Amino acid sequence: MARLKDKLYDKIERERPRVNKLLKEYGDVIMDEVTIAQVLGGMRGIKCLVTDISYLDPQEGIRYRGFTLPEVFEKLPKPKGAEMPYVEGLFYLLLMGEIPDDKDVEELQDEFSKRRVLPRYVYEVIDAFPCCSHPMTIFSSAIMTMQRESFFAKKYRGGISKFEYWDSTYEDALNLLAKLPELATYIYAKLYRDGKRIQSNPDLDFGGNFAHMMGKDKPYDDVSRLHFIIHADHEAGNVSAHAGHLVASSLSDIYLAISAMINGLAGPLHGLANQEVLRWLLELYDKMEGKEPTEEEMKQFVWDTLNAGQVIPGYGHAVLRKTDPRYTIQREFALKHMPEDKLFKYVDMLYRVVPDILRQQGKAKNPWPNVDAQSGQIQWHYGVQEYDFYTVLFGIGRAIGICANIIWDRALLYPLERPKSITTEMVEAIAFKKNAKRSKKEIAD
Ligand code: HAX
């Protein structure tokens, strides 16, 4: 992969002085103020992470390397006859910050193809899992099992300069990403298809090969490309991205970091929400015996969930304050390909009723749908109905973005992450001291 790696090296050489200058000449500049509510509230909104791979605007949604999602879908090269672009092209964009040409994508496709074969022991590890293990647990563990292949770990043990860390990290990232479709589809085959796996086809692209190994016809190849691309990154502070970055910052290799990233994604407030949406929708579907509910019935179902002290899965967001563009893109796909699908009609009706209800309830800062409100229904439509598997699909996409992030973390020599914690007593001391000042000022006023 000389061409991409050479280009990446040139870019790294150009980027390093920017970070050095900021550190050396502007290191004392204050960037943010932090309130007690932010510290006790999951660090919401504190500006303390840096990534150039993506940026999330609360109103507009995600941009990958400065491109909105509609721009990404319009500009990236597509396989012949396909509606959706190459996943390989997206990886190139995230890594390099430029739209690749056909040759760039072809080279990357070739590179993934050469690295795609899973070591034998990975199948054995998956086979050995006890029944009822969640697919995300198997996915994470299988990635961990391959840690012994880490090129970075071997190089580090042999002794290398920190300026070379990115190189073996890059090799690990490509080796791991290339294997994820085969790994995930084997987990699917093992759990839901009596272990009958379909051999990969080295001539197909990342998304096409995934669809092939899932045993799905067109347009599931486009569904896969769409799914992996929209899930790739959501700036640095979400749980999965942050977990990946945090673990990698101790110079743990890609296998350890991506496994940690997958573990963070497996929580119901994050990636597992796509599974929860389907589970919740099917509860109503069963109750209605497949009939379309009236808006009143749907509203009641939503209120019942809220009144039971549960969240509405697929709605709300820690940063976004508008409908997630990842939801909109999938909705447009569904409107084009499956407007009459019964479950799509449920999803569509939820879009009409949930935001008003959440506003009436008055708790959620963002009443609009996020990516997970729509993704599972599309999978369901194409026959992937084992909804416990949906977060694995999310994980494949997210690994693409996090690998690009970790390569750049190493390239720019970002250090071990180590924020400071204090005790509740110390927080109280800060709070009461500030309040004492405020009271004095209020009296003076
Ligand atoms: N349903 C019911 N209540 C909700 C809600 C929802 N969808 N979204 C937020 N709230 C509630 C919160 O639980 C919180 O209640 P308390 O004050 O009682 O604790 C209150 O509204 C304020 O929360 P917020 O500030 O608006 O939201 P947070 O930043 O704390 O949390 C979440 C963001 C995504 C976790 C939240 O909106 C949620 O739980 N949504 C449902 C689960 C979901 O869809 N998760 C996936 C999010 C996208 C993603 O990461 N995908 O991977």
Side-chain angles (χ1 to χ4, degrees), residues 44 234 238 265 268-273 277 306 310-319 321 324 326 358 361 363-366 370-372 394 398:
R44 290 289 184 290
H234 221 219
N238 65 78
L265 195 67
L269 295 186
H270 190 19
L272 205 80
V277 168
L306 290 175
Q310 292 158 23
V311 295
I312 305 302
Y315 280 76
H317 201 273
V319 178
R321 293 297 174 257
D324 189 337
R326 300 172 299 175
L358 286 178
Q361 194 209 25
K363 278 170 56 170
K365 293 189 189 70
N366 176 40
N370 60 58
V371 65
D372 303 310
F394 192 154
R398 185 54 52 97

Side-chain angles (χ1 to χ4, degrees), residues 150 265 384:
S150 172
L265 195 67
V384 182

Side-chain angles (χ1 to χ4, degrees), residues 237-254:
N238 65 78
V239 171
S240 54
H242 191 196
H245 164 82
L246 171 67
V247 170
S249 84
S250 72
L251 296 185
S252 292
D253 57 58
I254 281 275

